[in-house]
């Protein structure tokens, strides 16, 4: 049995368990509009072997349409059984880009969205995570009590961090933090970054919009992930903490816990 494909989650909580091949996963999604925004342009999706978050932009319903288009395009790998490879994902992202470019907006702003998440892929019989990213939503891995940011933000402040002009903590509160340098749509560069690593029991994959990371430092996120073993409790607590810290943006959190993998896969030494 595979995980049941879910629709995009907005302002609600969903959770469940499922399998992809012999990999068993417990998952949870929580999304909240936040305390200042009128609409929720974030969307999240769990489908067989994938966990994704998209943060739309463009105003009113345009951002919602853009984030939905990105998730639905990538869900094709679950529906049609497409072999998940970097090239196949790039093709689906190109299709999403074309759909987003056709979205009509009421202003001069173009619709667009970030997209990030993890897909389970087969690598010579060994299950791996294939992580993708465009924009400043993030994918993390939490394992053995350690939080690792897998993706790298495509943002102006990240470029300043890389150049040594800002620290990571300064970047989190810098007024330029919402200026991104890549997106699907929005008339921007759409090239995705990809990362891959073996699946291991005990891994917790966290995928989130910047509504979480803009409010909570990584050390706080790690503390909450360590405190709550249940993915629903962890996701709910993370969103609640982001709201308590200000909730200035839509907040979306998706968590996938690996509970079983084939015996031939040994957890990597950490």
């Amino acid at each position: 049995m595979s995980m049941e494909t879910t629709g995009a989650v907005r302002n609600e909580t969903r959770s469940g368990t499922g399998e992809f091949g012999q990999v068993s996963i417990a998952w949870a999604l929580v999304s909240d509009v936040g305390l200042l925004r009128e609409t929720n342009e974030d969307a999240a999706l769990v489908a067989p072997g994938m966990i994704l978050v998209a943060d739309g932009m463009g105003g009113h319903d345009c951002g919602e349409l853009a984030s939905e288009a990105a998730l639905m395009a990538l869900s094709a790998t679950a529906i049609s059984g497409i072999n998940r490879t970097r090239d196949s994902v790039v093709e689906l992202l190109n299709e999403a880009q074309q759909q987003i470019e056709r979205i009509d907006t009421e202003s001069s702003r173009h619709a667009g969205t970030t997209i990030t998440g993890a897909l389970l892929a087969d690598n010579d019989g060994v299950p791996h995570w294939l992580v993708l990213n465009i924009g400043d939503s993030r994918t993390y891995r939490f394992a053995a009590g350690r939080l690792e940011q897998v993706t790298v933000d495509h943002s102006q402040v990240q470029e300043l961090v890389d150049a040594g002009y800002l620290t990571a903590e300064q970047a989190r509160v810098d007024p330029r933090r919402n200026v991104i340098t890549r997106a699907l749509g929005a008339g921007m560069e759409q090239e995705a970054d990809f990362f891959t690593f073996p699946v291991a029991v005990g891994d917790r994959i966290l995928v989130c919009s910047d509504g979480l990371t803009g409010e909570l430092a990584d050390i706080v996120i790690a503390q909450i992930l360590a405190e709550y073993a249940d993915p629903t409790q962890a996701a709910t607590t993370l969103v609640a903490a982001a709201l308590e810290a200000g909730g200035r943006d839509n907040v979306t959190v998706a968590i996938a816990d690996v509970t079983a993998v084939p015996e031939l896969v040994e957890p990597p030494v950490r």
Side-chain angles (χ1 to χ4, degrees), residues 28 30 66 92 98 110 137 140 146 158 190 194 223 244 261:
V30 180
L92 294 173
Q98 295 172 15
H110 296 287
S137 296
Y140 291 87
R146 177 174 175 267
Q158 183 62 49
Q190 69 166 80
F194 289 91
Q223 288 170 348
E244 184 176 353
V261 296

Side-chain angles (χ1 to χ4, degrees), residues 39-54:
T39 60
N40 191 352
E41 295 183 303
D42 286 359
L45 178 71
V46 169
M50 66 175 66
I51 180 166
L52 302 167
V53 167

Side-chain angles (χ1 to χ4, degrees), residues 41 53-57 63 66-68 70 100 111-115 134-135 180 182-186:
E41 295 183 303
V53 167
D55 181 355
M57 64 193 80
S67 56
E68 188 83 17
I100 293 168
T113 185
T114 70
I115 177 72
I134 302 176
I180 63 174
R182 295 190 205 177
L184 275 178

Side-chain angles (χ1 to χ4, degrees), residues 28-187:
L29 304 179
V30 180
S31 186
D32 193 283
V33 69
L35 302 180
L36 301 181
R37 299 295 180 93
E38 294 182 357
T39 60
N40 191 352
E41 295 183 303
D42 286 359
L45 178 71
V46 169
M50 66 175 66
I51 180 166
L52 302 167
V53 167
D55 181 355
M57 64 193 80
H60 300 292
D61 63 345
C62 296
E64 294 182 15
L65 294 173
S67 56
E68 188 83 17
L71 296 185
M72 291 304 101
L74 287 175
S75 71
T77 67
I79 297 170
S80 63
I82 296 173
N83 184 34
R84 292 191 183 110
T85 63
R86 175 173 174 161
D87 289 344
S88 68
V89 172
V90 168
E91 289 181 10
L92 294 173
L93 290 172
N94 289 337
E95 292 178 13
Q97 173 87 358
Q98 295 172 15
Q99 294 178 36
I100 293 168
E101 289 175 346
R102 291 193 290 267
I103 297 173
D104 291 327
T105 62
E106 297 179 357
S107 67
S108 59
R109 297 178 64 192
H110 296 287
T113 185
T114 70
I115 177 72
T116 192
L119 299 87
L120 283 166
D122 183 274
N123 187 347
D124 293 328
V126 178
H128 277 61
W129 289 112
L130 177 64
V131 173
L132 71 144
N133 184 60
I134 302 176
D136 63 351
S137 296
R138 293 181 181 176
T139 298
Y140 291 87
R141 177 172 60 173
F142 183 73
R146 177 174 175 267
L147 183 67
E148 173 191 2
Q149 182 180 334
V150 178
T151 56
V152 178
D153 294 352
H154 300 137
S155 66
Q156 189 175 89
V157 293
Q158 183 62 49
E159 292 178 353
L160 293 171
V161 170
D162 293 341
Y165 294 112
L166 291 176
T167 65
E169 185 57 30
Q170 288 171 332
R172 196 175 62 82
V173 298
D174 191 279
R176 297 162 290 186
R177 63 188 179 277
N178 293 324
V179 181
I180 63 174
T181 55
R182 295 190 205 177
L184 275 178

Side-chain angles (χ1 to χ4, degrees), residues 176-262:
R176 297 162 290 186
R177 63 188 179 277
N178 293 324
V179 181
I180 63 174
T181 55
R182 295 190 205 177
L184 275 178
M188 301 177 69
E189 180 184 353
Q190 69 166 80
E191 182 181 358
D193 289 341
F194 289 91
F195 311 85
T196 185
F197 50 91
V199 177
V201 171
D203 275 357
R204 168 169 277 184
I205 303 299
L206 166 67
V207 188
C208 61
S209 64
D210 68 332
L212 179 74
T213 55
E215 302 291 358
L216 303 182
D218 280 6
I219 189 171
V220 177
I221 294 172
Q223 288 170 348
I224 292 172
L225 292 175
E227 183 175 356
Y228 296 95
D230 177 76
T232 302
Q233 289 182 318
T236 301
T237 303
L238 284 169
V239 171
L243 296 178
E244 184 176 353
R248 290 164 288 185
D249 201 351
N250 308 148
V251 187
T252 299
V253 171
I255 292 176
D257 289 345
V258 180
T259 58
V261 296

